[in-house]
Amino acid sequence: MESQAKVFLRALNGNINISERAIVLSPENIIRIGRASKSPNKNLTAAVDNAWFDSPVMSREHAELQFHSQNSTVTIRDIGSMHGTFVNSTRLLPHVTNNLSNGDTLVLGIEVKRGSEIFPACSFIFNYELIPYTSTIPSTSEGHTLKQ
């Protein structure tokens, strides 16, 4: 049976408005990590089940997470962010895919000072677990989905 990954990002600094995220990665699907938008039209609002963050140190399109079902790994790739992506204190090269392991420290951006304000980097502990794969098909009934 094919599996998918449930990724957990637990914030290490107190300025993250949602301290723990749980994001499901379907096989070979790419999830963007980036700065949330205050405009509801853009559909980039921070939530417990996504990777949009209210942080000025993050680029709108900062990095990507991907689950590889053939070897049950989760990878991250910096997609050209301004302030960088770090795994266990090592800055990732832009556009290079890197494996993530349970317990890794993931840092998005660096501390930024703007006048008298200081905005810290977004730091997380990364973990994931494998869960059975399910796909959802939108139903014609409003507010319901069908599982295959």
Side-chain angles (χ1 to χ4, degrees):
M1 175 191 271
E2 195 168 35
S3 59
Q4 53 191 3
K6 188 169 190 178
V7 169
F8 301 94
L9 297 175
R10 185 174 46 84
L12 293 175
N13 47 353
N15 64 331
I16 305 291
N17 62 344
I18 301 171
S19 62
E20 187 160 341
R21 305 289 178 103
I23 303 160
V24 175
L25 297 174
S26 299
E28 317 316 323
N29 190 26
I30 296 172
I31 299 292
R32 284 270 163 97
I33 301 171
R35 187 179 68 249
S37 173
K38 291 180 175 46
S39 171
N41 300 354
K42 292 186 180 181
N43 199 25
L44 302 174
T45 305
V48 70
D49 62 349
N50 70 26
W52 300 112
F53 297 91
D54 293 319
S55 173
V57 304
M58 237 187 257
S59 298
R60 174 82 67 221
E61 295 185 355
H62 195 99
E64 295 174 337
L65 287 173
Q66 185 172 13
F67 173 62
H68 304 273
S69 59
Q70 70 277 11
N71 58 5
S72 300
T73 59
V74 176
T75 59
I76 189 165
R77 185 169 69 102
D78 184 289
I79 54 175
S81 67
M82 180 181 287
H83 298 299
T85 302
F86 303 79
V87 175
N88 300 325
S89 302
T90 300
R91 187 173 185 151
L92 304 182
L93 295 174
H95 307 289
V96 175
T97 301
N98 297 269
N99 287 333
L100 289 171
S101 299
N102 282 327
D104 280 349
T105 300
L106 178 61
V107 178
L108 303 164
I110 58 172
E111 181 178 275
V112 172
K113 297 176 185 178
R114 291 188 185 144
S116 62
E117 288 187 279
I118 298 174
F119 303 98
C122 297
S123 303
F124 304 91
I125 293 292
F126 167 88
N127 284 293
Y128 77 102
E129 62 185 32
L130 300 179
I131 59 175
Y133 177 75
T134 58
S135 63
T136 51
I137 302 170
S139 155
T140 54
S141 304
E142 191 171 302
H144 295 86
T145 58
L146 302 174
K147 289 197 177 180
Q148 256 179 298

Short mmCIF file of all heavy atoms in Angstrom, two decimals, residues 84-120:
data_model
loop_
_atom_site.label_atom_id
_atom_site.label_comp_id
_atom_site.label_asym_id
_atom_site.label_seq_id
_atom_site.Cartn_x
_atom_site.Cartn_y
_atom_site.Cartn_z
N GLY A 84 17.60 32.82 3.11
CA GLY A 84 18.13 31.48 3.25
C GLY A 84 17.29 30.50 4.06
O GLY A 84 16.38 30.86 4.79
N THR A 85 17.65 29.23 3.88
CA THR A 85 17.06 28.09 4.60
C THR A 85 18.21 27.32 5.21
O THR A 85 19.22 27.07 4.53
CB THR A 85 16.26 27.20 3.63
OG1 THR A 85 15.24 27.99 3.00
CG2 THR A 85 15.63 26.02 4.34
N PHE A 86 18.06 26.93 6.47
CA PHE A 86 19.13 26.25 7.20
C PHE A 86 18.60 24.95 7.80
O PHE A 86 17.50 24.93 8.34
CB PHE A 86 19.65 27.14 8.34
CG PHE A 86 20.15 28.48 7.88
CD1 PHE A 86 19.26 29.51 7.58
CD2 PHE A 86 21.51 28.71 7.73
CE1 PHE A 86 19.71 30.75 7.16
CE2 PHE A 86 21.98 29.95 7.31
CZ PHE A 86 21.07 30.98 7.02
N VAL A 87 19.39 23.88 7.69
CA VAL A 87 19.07 22.61 8.35
C VAL A 87 20.25 22.30 9.27
O VAL A 87 21.39 22.20 8.81
CB VAL A 87 18.85 21.47 7.34
CG1 VAL A 87 18.63 20.14 8.06
CG2 VAL A 87 17.64 21.79 6.45
N ASN A 88 19.95 22.19 10.56
CA ASN A 88 20.99 21.92 11.57
C ASN A 88 22.17 22.88 11.43
O ASN A 88 23.34 22.49 11.40
CB ASN A 88 21.45 20.46 11.50
CG ASN A 88 20.31 19.50 11.76
OD1 ASN A 88 19.42 19.78 12.56
ND2 ASN A 88 20.30 18.37 11.07
N SER A 89 21.85 24.16 11.30
CA SER A 89 22.81 25.28 11.21
C SER A 89 23.58 25.37 9.91
O SER A 89 24.45 26.23 9.76
CB SER A 89 23.81 25.23 12.39
OG SER A 89 23.12 25.28 13.62
N THR A 90 23.29 24.52 8.93
CA THR A 90 23.96 24.58 7.63
C THR A 90 23.04 25.23 6.62
O THR A 90 21.91 24.79 6.42
CB THR A 90 24.34 23.16 7.14
OG1 THR A 90 25.21 22.56 8.10
CG2 THR A 90 25.02 23.21 5.79
N ARG A 91 23.55 26.32 5.99
CA ARG A 91 22.74 27.00 4.98
C ARG A 91 22.66 26.15 3.72
O ARG A 91 23.67 25.66 3.22
CB ARG A 91 23.32 28.36 4.64
CG ARG A 91 22.40 29.15 3.73
CD ARG A 91 22.87 30.56 3.49
NE ARG A 91 21.87 31.27 2.70
CZ ARG A 91 21.67 32.56 2.76
NH1 ARG A 91 22.40 33.30 3.56
NH2 ARG A 91 20.75 33.13 2.02
N LEU A 92 21.43 25.95 3.24
CA LEU A 92 21.23 25.16 2.03
C LEU A 92 21.53 25.99 0.79
O LEU A 92 21.25 27.19 0.75
CB LEU A 92 19.78 24.67 1.96
CG LEU A 92 19.27 23.87 3.16
CD1 LEU A 92 17.84 23.40 2.90
CD2 LEU A 92 20.17 22.69 3.46
N LEU A 93 22.10 25.34 -0.19
CA LEU A 93 22.32 26.00 -1.47
C LEU A 93 20.98 26.14 -2.18
O LEU A 93 20.14 25.23 -2.11
CB LEU A 93 23.27 25.17 -2.34
CG LEU A 93 24.70 25.03 -1.82
CD1 LEU A 93 25.49 24.06 -2.69
CD2 LEU A 93 25.38 26.40 -1.78
N PRO A 94 20.75 27.27 -2.84
CA PRO A 94 19.47 27.44 -3.55
C PRO A 94 19.29 26.37 -4.63
O PRO A 94 20.25 25.97 -5.31
CB PRO A 94 19.60 28.83 -4.19
CG PRO A 94 20.66 29.52 -3.41
CD PRO A 94 21.60 28.45 -2.93
N HIS A 95 18.06 25.88 -4.74
CA HIS A 95 17.64 24.94 -5.79
C HIS A 95 18.33 23.58 -5.70
O HIS A 95 18.39 22.87 -6.69
CB HIS A 95 17.81 25.57 -7.18
CG HIS A 95 17.12 26.89 -7.29
ND1 HIS A 95 15.75 27.02 -7.33
CD2 HIS A 95 17.62 28.15 -7.31
CE1 HIS A 95 15.43 28.30 -7.39
NE2 HIS A 95 16.54 29.02 -7.38
N VAL A 96 18.84 23.22 -4.52
CA VAL A 96 19.44 21.89 -4.30
C VAL A 96 18.57 21.16 -3.29
O VAL A 96 18.27 21.68 -2.22
CB VAL A 96 20.89 22.01 -3.79
CG1 VAL A 96 21.47 20.64 -3.46
CG2 VAL A 96 21.77 22.73 -4.81
N THR A 97 18.17 19.94 -3.63
CA THR A 97 17.30 19.13 -2.77
C THR A 97 18.12 18.50 -1.66
O THR A 97 19.21 17.96 -1.90
CB THR A 97 16.60 18.05 -3.61
OG1 THR A 97 15.83 18.70 -4.63
CG2 THR A 97 15.69 17.18 -2.77
N ASN A 98 17.58 18.57 -0.42
CA ASN A 98 18.26 18.03 0.77
C ASN A 98 17.29 17.16 1.55
O ASN A 98 16.14 17.54 1.77
CB ASN A 98 18.72 19.18 1.68
CG ASN A 98 19.74 20.06 1.01
OD1 ASN A 98 20.92 19.84 1.12
ND2 ASN A 98 19.27 21.07 0.27
N ASN A 99 17.77 15.99 2.01
CA ASN A 99 16.96 15.11 2.84
C ASN A 99 16.78 15.70 4.23
O ASN A 99 17.70 16.32 4.76
CB ASN A 99 17.60 13.73 2.97
CG ASN A 99 17.50 12.92 1.70
OD1 ASN A 99 16.59 13.11 0.90
ND2 ASN A 99 18.43 12.00 1.51
N LEU A 100 15.60 15.48 4.81
CA LEU A 100 15.33 15.86 6.19
C LEU A 100 15.15 14.60 7.02
O LEU A 100 14.65 13.59 6.52
CB LEU A 100 14.05 16.70 6.27
CG LEU A 100 14.14 18.11 5.70
CD1 LEU A 100 12.76 18.76 5.66
CD2 LEU A 100 15.10 18.97 6.52
N SER A 101 15.55 14.66 8.29
CA SER A 101 15.42 13.54 9.22
C SER A 101 14.66 14.01 10.45
O SER A 101 14.70 15.20 10.81
CB SER A 101 16.80 13.02 9.66
OG SER A 101 17.53 12.56 8.54
N ASN A 102 14.00 13.07 11.12
CA ASN A 102 13.31 13.41 12.36
C ASN A 102 14.28 14.05 13.34
O ASN A 102 15.41 13.60 13.50
CB ASN A 102 12.68 12.17 12.98
CG ASN A 102 11.39 11.79 12.29
OD1 ASN A 102 10.65 12.65 11.82
ND2 ASN A 102 11.11 10.51 12.22
N GLY A 103 13.84 15.14 13.97
CA GLY A 103 14.65 15.85 14.94
C GLY A 103 15.52 16.95 14.36
O GLY A 103 16.17 17.68 15.11
N ASP A 104 15.54 17.10 13.04
CA ASP A 104 16.32 18.18 12.42
C ASP A 104 15.79 19.53 12.87
O ASP A 104 14.58 19.71 13.07
CB ASP A 104 16.26 18.12 10.90
CG ASP A 104 17.21 17.10 10.29
OD1 ASP A 104 18.07 16.56 11.02
OD2 ASP A 104 17.06 16.83 9.08
N THR A 105 16.70 20.50 13.00
CA THR A 105 16.32 21.88 13.25
C THR A 105 16.27 22.59 11.90
O THR A 105 17.25 22.59 11.16
CB THR A 105 17.32 22.58 14.19
OG1 THR A 105 17.36 21.89 15.42
CG2 THR A 105 16.92 24.03 14.43
N LEU A 106 15.13 23.17 11.60
CA LEU A 106 14.90 23.86 10.34
C LEU A 106 14.73 25.34 10.65
O LEU A 106 13.90 25.71 11.48
CB LEU A 106 13.64 23.29 9.68
CG LEU A 106 13.17 23.89 8.38
CD1 LEU A 106 14.21 23.74 7.29
CD2 LEU A 106 11.86 23.23 7.96
N VAL A 107 15.55 26.19 10.00
CA VAL A 107 15.46 27.64 10.21
C VAL A 107 15.20 28.29 8.85
O VAL A 107 15.93 28.05 7.89
CB VAL A 107 16.74 28.21 10.85
CG1 VAL A 107 16.64 29.72 11.01
CG2 VAL A 107 17.00 27.55 12.20
N LEU A 108 14.16 29.10 8.81
CA LEU A 108 13.77 29.81 7.59
C LEU A 108 14.04 31.29 7.80
O LEU A 108 13.45 31.93 8.67
CB LEU A 108 12.30 29.56 7.29
CG LEU A 108 11.95 28.06 7.16
CD1 LEU A 108 10.45 27.86 7.26
CD2 LEU A 108 12.49 27.49 5.88
N GLY A 109 14.97 31.84 7.03
CA GLY A 109 15.34 33.24 7.15
C GLY A 109 16.39 33.47 8.23
O GLY A 109 16.88 32.53 8.85
N ILE A 110 16.74 34.73 8.40
CA ILE A 110 17.69 35.16 9.42
C ILE A 110 17.07 36.33 10.17
O ILE A 110 16.08 36.91 9.73
CB ILE A 110 19.04 35.59 8.80
CG1 ILE A 110 18.84 36.74 7.80
CG2 ILE A 110 19.76 34.41 8.16
CD1 ILE A 110 20.12 37.36 7.29
N GLU A 111 17.67 36.67 11.31
CA GLU A 111 17.18 37.83 12.05
C GLU A 111 17.32 39.08 11.19
O GLU A 111 18.36 39.30 10.57
CB GLU A 111 17.98 37.99 13.34
CG GLU A 111 17.50 39.16 14.18
CD GLU A 111 18.28 39.27 15.47
OE1 GLU A 111 17.91 38.59 16.44
OE2 GLU A 111 19.26 40.05 15.48
N VAL A 112 16.25 39.86 11.16
CA VAL A 112 16.23 41.08 10.36
C VAL A 112 15.90 42.26 11.28
O VAL A 112 14.98 42.17 12.09
CB VAL A 112 15.19 40.99 9.22
CG1 VAL A 112 15.03 42.33 8.50
CG2 VAL A 112 15.55 39.88 8.24
N LYS A 113 16.67 43.36 11.15
CA LYS A 113 16.41 44.58 11.91
C LYS A 113 15.90 45.65 10.96
O LYS A 113 16.52 45.91 9.93
CB LYS A 113 17.68 45.05 12.60
CG LYS A 113 18.20 44.08 13.63
CD LYS A 113 19.51 44.53 14.23
CE LYS A 113 20.02 43.45 15.16
NZ LYS A 113 21.30 43.80 15.74
N ARG A 114 14.78 46.24 11.33
CA ARG A 114 14.21 47.35 10.56
C ARG A 114 13.95 48.48 11.53
O ARG A 114 12.98 48.43 12.28
CB ARG A 114 12.92 46.94 9.86
CG ARG A 114 13.15 45.95 8.75
CD ARG A 114 11.89 45.71 7.96
NE ARG A 114 12.13 44.67 6.98
CZ ARG A 114 11.24 43.78 6.62
NH1 ARG A 114 10.02 43.80 7.12
NH2 ARG A 114 11.53 42.87 5.72
N GLY A 115 14.81 49.47 11.52
CA GLY A 115 14.71 50.56 12.49
C GLY A 115 14.90 50.00 13.89
O GLY A 115 15.89 49.31 14.15
N SER A 116 13.97 50.24 14.78
CA SER A 116 14.09 49.74 16.14
C SER A 116 13.47 48.35 16.30
O SER A 116 13.58 47.75 17.37
CB SER A 116 13.41 50.71 17.12
OG SER A 116 12.03 50.80 16.81
N GLU A 117 12.84 47.83 15.25
CA GLU A 117 12.21 46.51 15.32
C GLU A 117 13.18 45.41 14.92
O GLU A 117 13.97 45.56 14.00
CB GLU A 117 10.98 46.44 14.42
CG GLU A 117 9.80 47.23 14.92
CD GLU A 117 8.58 46.97 14.06
OE1 GLU A 117 8.49 47.60 13.00
OE2 GLU A 117 7.75 46.14 14.46
N ILE A 118 13.09 44.28 15.63
CA ILE A 118 13.90 43.10 15.32
C ILE A 118 12.95 41.95 15.04
O ILE A 118 12.06 41.66 15.84
CB ILE A 118 14.84 42.74 16.48
CG1 ILE A 118 15.82 43.89 16.72
CG2 ILE A 118 15.58 41.44 16.19
CD1 ILE A 118 16.71 43.70 17.93
N PHE A 119 13.12 41.29 13.91
CA PHE A 119 12.30 40.15 13.51
C PHE A 119 13.20 38.91 13.49
O PHE A 119 14.12 38.83 12.68
CB PHE A 119 11.69 40.38 12.13
CG PHE A 119 10.85 41.63 12.06
CD1 PHE A 119 11.37 42.80 11.55
CD2 PHE A 119 9.54 41.61 12.51
CE1 PHE A 119 10.60 43.95 11.48
CE2 PHE A 119 8.75 42.76 12.45
CZ PHE A 119 9.29 43.94 11.94
N PRO A 120 12.94 37.94 14.38
CA PRO A 120 13.81 36.76 14.44
C PRO A 120 13.54 35.79 13.30
O PRO A 120 12.46 35.80 12.70
CB PRO A 120 13.45 36.13 15.79
CG PRO A 120 12.05 36.56 16.04
CD PRO A 120 11.90 37.92 15.40
#
